Amino acid sequence: MKRLLCLSLLSALLAACSTTSEIPPESARPGGAPPVAEGPLAVPALSALPDTPARNLAGRYQRAAWSELPGWESDDLSRLWPLVLRNCKGLMRPTSGNLAAPARATPRAWQPVCAAAADPARAPAAGDAAAVRRFMQAYLQPWRLNGADGRPAVNTVTGYYEPLVRGARERSARHQWPLYGVPDDLLTIDLGAVYPDLAGKRVRGKLDGRRVVPYDTRAGIEASDRKPPVVAWVDDPVDNFFLQVQGSGRVQLTEGRDAGKTIRVAYADHNGQPYVSIGRWLIDRGELRADQASMQNIRAWAQRNPARVQEMLNANPAVVFFREEAVADPEQGPKGAYAIPLAPGRSIAVDASFVPLGTPVYLATTYPASERPLQRLVFAQDTGTAIRGAARADYYWGFGDEAGQQAGRMKQRGQMWLLWPKQAGEPSAR
C-alpha cells in the first residue's frame, strides 16, 4: 500500500507541477534530528556508539593552519563554551541512516573531542577565552572548503532572525490573519523509502476520494470550508507572511485569556507548494519599483490597498504550518534542523551536502552592507532550501527588530573552514 501510495502521489504531484523540495526558498528549516537530552553532557563510550553507512559529501576539503583563518585570534570566545557543550549533545546522538534528513557530522569522529569537553580535567574554564581557544586548537583541525574547481569556495552569506508579532488565540476584529497548525489531511511521503535513487526527496499531498492530489495552495486553503487548525491569529498580514518566510517566531498575545504571554511558533511542516516572492509580484505589476521591495514598503502598500491584501498573499502558493512551543529561555533561539536552539551570532544554516550539521565552522564574511570584517567561529545547525552550494550560509542574528534589520540588509560574500577532530582525518557525514 505504501509503495502504491508513493507512486500515485508522485505521479499526481509531478503532473500538477508541484515541488519535491523540502521547504520553499528562504523559508522554514525542518527538524531533521532527534531532540537533545536535558542535563549535563553525557558522552557514550566509543564502543557503545552505533554507526551507519557514510554519506557522500559534495565538498572538497584542504587542510589548513590556524594562522590561515583571518581574524581567528581576535574572535572573543569568552561565551562560546556552553555552546560547544550544547553542540556536543547533538553530535553524540546516534544517527538513523535516514537519507531524507540532512547529513550530520559523524558521531564516532567527534566522540574523543566531546569526551574531552565533558572531562573537568581537560575542559577549559567556561569564561576563559584563551583556554577555550587552546582547547579548540588542541583537538580540532581546520579544513578549508573548496569548490569543485579546487579553489577556495566563496559564496553568498545572508541573514535570518526570529521575529516578534502581535496576536491572539481567538480571531477578533483586530486579529484576522491565521498561523496554521498541521492539517489532519496532509500526507508527507518519503520517496527514498521506496526508490533509493530518490533519497532525500519528499512530496506532500492529500487524498481526494481514492486519488492522491497535491495539497492545497494558499488560495485553496483560504477558499476551503475545511481549514487547518489555527495556532494563533496575527494583527498584521505582512508580519504574518514574513514570519512564515523566517520559519519560526514569537507571538505576543495581546487579547484573551493569555494576554501578556509570549509563545513561540516553530516550523512543523508545509504544503509542498513552491515559494513565490510577494515583492516580485508587486514589482511585476508595477505596484513597486525593484528598489522599493522592502518589508516596510510592502506593509505600506498593504495598508493602502486593504481589499487586495489576500490577492497579494495568494501570489505565493506556499504555506508553512506551525506548532506552539514555550519560550523557556528568551536568550535562546528556535530549534533549527539540528534540533538544537540557535545561538544569536553563533549559528548558521548551511548546505549539509558540503557542511554536515553539527560541524563547527570558521566563517569569514563582512557585516551587512559594509566592508567591516565579520570573522568568527559558528556552528552549522540549520538548513534551508535557498541555502545551496559550497560556502553558502544563512547567519542567525537572533530575536527582534534589531536582528531583523541586520538580517534584512545582509547579502555579503564569505568563505569558510570546517573545524574537524584532528584524529578523524577529512570531514565526513552520516
Side-chain angles (χ1 to χ4, degrees):
M1 176 61 72
K2 182 176 181 182
R3 179 183 177 89
L4 291 174
L5 185 61
C6 280
L7 288 170
S8 177
L9 182 56
L10 178 59
S11 299
L13 294 188
L14 292 180
C17 299
S18 185
T19 177
T20 56
S21 62
E22 185 59 32
I23 51 178
E26 305 172 36
S27 186
R29 281 94 183 158
V36 172
E38 299 294 332
L41 170 62
V43 180
L46 189 60
S47 60
L49 195 60
D51 201 8
T52 52
R55 294 176 64 168
N56 292 329
L57 290 174
R60 304 290 186 269
Y61 310 100
Q62 179 181 346
R63 191 185 298 269
W66 286 97
S67 59
E68 297 177 44
L69 277 56
W72 165 245
E73 293 293 338
S74 302
D75 187 13
D76 182 5
L77 305 182
S78 60
R79 302 180 66 182
L80 186 77
W81 192 246
L83 305 182
V84 172
L85 296 178
R86 190 164 77 196
N87 195 65
C88 261
K89 289 183 179 182
L91 289 164
M92 290 299 95
R93 292 171 296 181
T95 53
S96 66
N98 178 12
L99 297 181
R104 290 171 50 195
T106 305
R108 290 175 62 85
W110 281 92
Q111 192 274 349
V113 178
C114 291
D119 181 358
R122 292 181 286 173
D128 188 338
V132 172
R133 198 181 320 277
R134 288 194 297 271
F135 181 93
M136 305 301 282
Q137 294 179 172
Y139 286 93
L140 302 182
Q141 166 66 47
W143 293 82
R144 178 190 282 278
L145 178 57
N146 291 338
D149 59 2
R151 297 179 180 179
V154 180
N155 210 332
T156 303
V157 180
T158 50
Y160 68 115
Y161 76 110
E162 185 181 24
L164 175 69
V165 301
R166 295 171 300 278
R169 294 195 183 278
E170 304 294 334
R171 188 174 189 175
S172 67
R174 180 180 178 186
H175 301 99
Q176 290 285 322
W177 307 97
L179 295 172
Y180 288 118
V182 179
D184 292 338
D185 59 345
L186 177 67
L187 301 175
T188 302
I189 307 299
D190 178 3
L191 297 179
V194 179
Y195 297 110
D197 57 335
L198 294 178
K201 299 294 185 182
R202 293 178 180 175
V203 291
R204 288 164 172 81
K206 67 176 184 177
L207 288 173
D208 180 8
R210 299 184 65 179
R211 297 187 310 118
V212 180
V213 297
Y215 203 79
D216 295 340
T217 63
R218 181 183 300 271
I221 290 173
E222 294 308 318
S224 174
D225 293 332
R226 183 183 178 184
K227 291 183 172 62
V230 177
V231 177
W233 297 88
V234 176
D235 68 354
D236 184 276
V238 179
D239 283 347
N240 179 300
F241 181 87
F242 279 103
L243 190 152
Q244 292 192 48
V245 171
Q246 295 301 317
S248 63
R250 302 184 196 184
V251 181
Q252 184 179 23
L253 301 175
T254 59
E255 290 182 356
R257 65 185 186 278
D258 289 331
K261 181 179 179 181
T262 298
I263 62 172
R264 172 172 282 138
V265 287
Y267 173 92
D269 215 318
H270 72 99
N271 66 340
Q273 296 288 341
Y275 172 86
V276 175
S277 167
I278 59 173
R280 172 51 58 188
W281 183 85
L282 290 168
I283 293 168
D284 290 345
R285 280 151 186 77
E287 301 290 340
L288 293 177
R289 298 193 312 268
D291 62 348
Q292 295 177 321
S294 66
M295 183 187 300
Q296 292 77 12
N297 286 332
I298 293 173
R299 179 178 285 110
W301 184 92
Q303 292 170 347
R304 295 193 305 269
N305 300 274
R308 297 188 64 193
V309 167
Q310 193 62 57
E311 178 190 0
M312 175 186 69
L313 298 179
N314 287 349
N316 174 36
V319 177
V320 171
F321 304 123
F322 296 95
R323 65 176 181 275
E324 180 180 336
E325 291 183 352
V327 183
D329 182 350
E331 297 300 315
Q332 292 186 3
K335 294 177 181 177
Y338 200 48
I340 286 180
L342 303 176
R346 293 289 183 180
S347 294
I348 59 173
V350 296
D351 184 338
S353 65
F354 291 88
V355 183
L357 291 179
T359 305
V361 172
Y362 192 74
L363 178 68
T365 184
T366 53
Y367 277 86
S370 80
E371 297 297 322
R372 184 160 67 100
L374 175 57
Q375 300 163 337
R376 60 178 55 186
L377 193 158
V378 294
F379 298 91
Q381 295 176 332
D382 212 349
T383 60
T385 296
I387 313 305
R388 288 290 179 264
R392 177 72 171 92
D394 212 10
Y395 183 88
Y396 177 66
W397 279 97
F399 164 73
D401 291 342
E402 183 176 347
Q405 291 172 8
Q406 293 281 60
R409 295 187 302 134
M410 190 170 196
K411 193 173 184 180
Q412 316 301 113
R413 301 295 284 174
Q415 55 186 315
M416 57 179 63
W417 290 257
L418 283 66
L419 308 182
W420 200 255
K422 280 186 175 180
Q423 85 291 341
E426 192 169 306
S428 61
R430 296 295 186 271

